[in-house]
Amino acid sequence: MIQFRLNTHSGVPPYLQIVQQVKQALQVGILQPGDQLPTVKEVVTHIAINPNTVAKAYRELESLGLVEGRTGSGTFVKQRPAGPSPEVQEALSQDLSGWVAKARKAGLDDEAIEALLRIALHKR
Amino acid sequence: MGAAVIQTKGLGKRYGSFWALENCNISVPAGSVSALVGPNGAGKSTLLKILVGLNRASAGQGEVLGKAPAQEESFLSDIGYLAQEIPLYKNLNAADHIKMGAHLNKRFDKEFMQKRLKDLQIPLDRPVGKLSGGQRAQVALALALAKKPKLLLLDEPVAALDPLARHDFLSSLAQAVADGGLTVVMSSHLLADLERVSDHVIVLAAGKTQLCDEIETVLNEHKLLVGPRQNKIPEDDFAIIHETHTIRQSTLLVHLKKGAKVPNGWQQHEPNIEEIILAYMGQAKEGGEK
């Protein structure tokens, strides 16, 4: 079963952090269709978080079609998130690694690279 | 979230010529865990005492669970209140407190409280004065929860606890909220805990309400803008809560109005709830000095 973490300094709303952690776990295969998510009460006992936040995250995951709530028995993983196939992701990842290598060669450190990436992400 | 459990309008409390609380307008939705924050002397305890009927307001109105606060059984039976100093009878043990709770309250759930204390491994037969601070806080919380309140008001419940005891206390509180039917207002100085346990925030500073909204809305509507220093900052689309300037750079924490866009030339960051709350407290302080 998955355990959630909470970063209270990220500026990312806590419910989104849970949604992202479930998505990531699905992407890398830690969670698979049929797996059960911890109950709201288990999550709040473990990380002392607001229960409405957990419920909201689960509702969001449900509306994305990734999980389904079964009355009385809990929340279960339905399917993996739609998105590019693993091959496409792999190709993109290789492209990026190549770019990072180029940036390093040009003398940029990690911070400068992150700054460039952030600027590129916010450009539309 | 549900209808408002607490609603105040122009609520104020005056001691002599000093207003401890002034023009307080808040609304707390049912089922929320609301964090009440502000500097010392901002009126947090005063507000909580008015809401539970221990203080009489000097101005304005407040409605709690649809009633005007008063020290009457019909009003108090639905409300749990835990004062700052965690008032328990030091020479009595937890079992005595359970007996007393059952005697004084109509709907007291003895089994619930016994089970809670057992789960937390708190001895029932030791005088509560000899328990640790964390255990005492847990006994007091269990006592307040066992009367099955619809509203729980907590005045800095975790201020004196070590980090582990604080986590355990907040976890107990979150579990109680998960069981449903409970709204919580909790004053605290520990901003880092807020985003975690609360979903609603009230900022009091200089005796006035600075902010009262759901945390998610607050996060969505506030941005931190960094850009080259300009003489004129467009204020049509946003309100500046806090600003700092160096010779070449300005940093603004702004409240974006609905549908507003950040102007070109500003780098936009997501502030966390702690930064936003500090900005509001700072604003109130500057306003007071002018």
Side-chain angles (χ1 to χ4, degrees):
Chain A
M1 199 188 271
I2 184 174
Q3 270 193 350
F4 298 115
R5 304 171 312 279
L6 200 68
N7 179 354
T8 45
H9 289 279
S10 63
V12 181
Y15 91 92
L16 257 188
Q17 292 188 35
I18 291 179
V19 169
Q20 284 167 358
Q21 282 170 36
V22 169
K23 277 189 186 165
Q24 275 165 17
L26 283 166
Q27 218 108 34
V28 297
I30 291 175
L31 276 179
Q32 281 175 2
D35 282 354
Q36 188 179 0
L37 295 182
T39 64
V40 170
K41 207 158 175 183
E42 280 165 353
V43 178
V44 305
T45 306
H46 183 61
I47 56 173
I49 180 185
N50 186 298
N52 302 326
T53 305
V54 187
K56 181 167 183 194
Y58 283 11
R59 275 201 306 277
E60 173 85 14
L61 287 163
E62 211 166 327
S63 75
L64 291 170
L66 299 178
V67 305
E68 62 178 346
R70 297 180 201 155
T71 5
S73 55
T75 307
F76 293 83
V77 176
K78 221 162 102 187
Q79 59 178 38
R80 304 188 54 178
S85 68
E87 294 82 45
V88 173
Q89 285 199 41
E90 178 59 29
L92 284 169
S93 163
Q94 277 188 10
D95 282 359
L96 190 60
S97 299
W99 180 85
V100 169
K102 228 160 75 185
R104 285 231 171 89
K105 216 170 153 193
L108 293 185
D109 60 7
D110 286 6
E111 244 173 75
I113 291 174
E114 271 179 38
L116 280 184
L117 195 62
R118 211 164 290 132
I119 290 168
L121 282 173
H122 284 117
K123 231 184 238 170
R124 299 251 154 111
Chain B
M1 278 192 208
V5 164
I6 299 174
Q7 186 100 47
T8 71
K9 218 173 174 187
L11 204 64
K13 176 75 189 173
R14 194 184 50 175
Y15 294 102
S17 64
F18 171 70
W19 287 89
L21 185 72
E22 213 181 338
N23 195 20
C24 175
N25 301 302
I26 60 167
S27 170
V28 179
S32 61
V33 179
S34 184
L36 178 59
V37 298
N40 289 327
K44 302 189 295 289
S45 299
T46 304
L47 173 60
L48 291 175
K49 281 189 182 140
I50 293 175
L51 294 177
V52 78
L54 284 170
N55 257 351
R56 196 170 282 278
S58 327
Q61 301 113 36
E63 205 171 74
V64 177
L65 295 167
K67 295 175 190 142
Q71 288 285 309
E72 291 162 8
E73 199 191 340
S74 62
F75 174 72
L76 293 175
S77 65
D78 286 333
I79 295 176
Y81 169 66
L82 190 49
Q84 209 161 356
E85 53 277 10
I86 309 187
L88 293 172
Y89 295 93
K90 287 197 171 53
N91 297 323
L92 299 183
N93 60 31
D96 297 332
H97 279 88
I98 295 176
K99 260 187 238 156
M100 200 161 48
H103 183 70
L104 292 172
N105 293 281
K106 257 194 252 164
R107 277 186 316 219
F108 198 82
D109 191 340
K110 263 188 190 173
E111 285 74 33
F112 163 87
M113 178 147 180
Q114 276 156 352
K115 185 176 175 303
R116 268 221 67 81
L117 296 186
K118 196 170 157 240
D119 289 348
L120 294 162
Q121 298 178 327
I122 294 173
L124 291 177
D125 54 358
R126 193 179 301 169
V128 294
K130 298 213 163 113
L131 298 175
S132 73
Q135 288 177 322
R136 259 201 306 279
Q138 288 280 13
V139 171
L141 177 64
L143 209 50
L145 288 173
K147 69 181 269 194
K148 301 287 163 198
K150 291 180 184 147
L151 173 66
L152 189 57
L153 302 168
L154 305 170
D155 197 353
E156 295 199 33
V158 296
L161 304 184
D162 67 65
L164 182 62
R166 201 166 82 216
H167 177 275
D168 290 348
F169 184 94
L170 295 175
S171 165
S172 294
L173 184 65
Q175 285 175 51
V177 177
D179 286 336
L182 179 66
T183 306
V184 179
V185 177
M186 175 173 70
S187 73
S188 176
H189 283 307
L190 296 154
L191 300 183
D193 290 340
L194 294 186
E195 201 175 352
R196 182 175 267 269
V197 207
S198 318
D199 50 10
H200 185 272
V201 64
I202 302 164
V203 180
L204 287 187
K208 294 192 174 74
T209 331
Q210 307 288 337
L211 187 66
C212 175
D213 213 334
E214 282 171 33
I215 288 183
E216 201 192 319
T217 312
V218 173
L219 287 173
N220 284 337
E221 290 181 354
H222 290 82
K223 301 282 176 224
L224 197 64
L225 304 181
V226 181
R229 175 141 196 189
Q230 288 167 1
N231 292 329
K232 208 169 156 276
I233 297 154
E235 285 192 51
D236 302 339
D237 280 350
F238 48 77
I240 297 172
I241 309 303
H242 188 79
E243 51 187 308
T244 49
H245 302 282
T246 61
I247 294 172
R248 299 218 180 98
Q249 194 187 48
S250 295
T251 305
L252 315 173
L253 196 136
V254 300
H255 179 214
L256 282 184
K257 292 179 185 147
K258 256 199 188 115
K261 272 200 186 126
V262 172
N264 284 336
W266 292 92
Q267 232 186 336
Q268 184 180 330
H269 300 275
E270 305 293 330
N272 62 40
I273 195 73
E274 202 171 331
E275 291 173 291
I276 299 171
I277 291 170
L278 286 174
Y280 274 94
M281 287 190 199
Q283 185 194 38
K285 198 173 157 199
E286 281 155 23
E289 279 165 4
K290 262 170 206 169

